[in-house]
Amino acid sequence: MAPVRPETKERAVAIDLQKEAPNVVTEAGFKMLVESGYSVEVVCKQDAYRKNSVWHGIWLLRAVDDDGVEKELVTARARPDGEFIQLRTFKTVTGLVSFLIDLGFSVVAFPVYEGQRWTYTLADTPDDDSDS
């Protein structure tokens, strides 16, 4: 008879992102940074391509302050394989646009070639009435 193994339980280990990875921020922190004046930089990591009228690619987001300090957006979910901090990627333009609109941007553009970047600042977002 095989020995009975005790049940293994997955558990998330609490880590201090500021100490472990000071250049990253979760979604809640990212929104706070943007609201406090940080710019949002969208970085294209893989050329975009269209498949059935949906644009695909890989985009990362960074919050950047006036001094050039960057904080990359990461997921808040722990991984069972021990990789607790993972960059948040957007694989479709729909997901990217939805996230940017939720941040408060009313006009959205995005880079389509690997290495291209596009920067947004809430203060630069035009009003609904662009004629005034």
Side-chain angles (χ1 to χ4, degrees), residues 23 30 33-34 39-40 43 45 50 55 63 71 75-77 81-82 90 112-113 117 126:
N23 62 335
F30 194 86
L33 291 174
V34 172
S39 296
V40 173
V43 181
K45 298 302 279 183
R50 189 171 67 185
W55 283 92
K71 300 226 181 233
T75 63
R77 296 179 290 270
D81 62 2
F90 295 85
V112 295
Y113 297 114
R117 299 163 188 252

Side-chain angles (χ1 to χ4, degrees), residues 5-11:
R5 294 184 185 179
E7 277 188 44
T8 57
K9 294 182 182 179
E10 291 181 16
R11 62 184 178 102

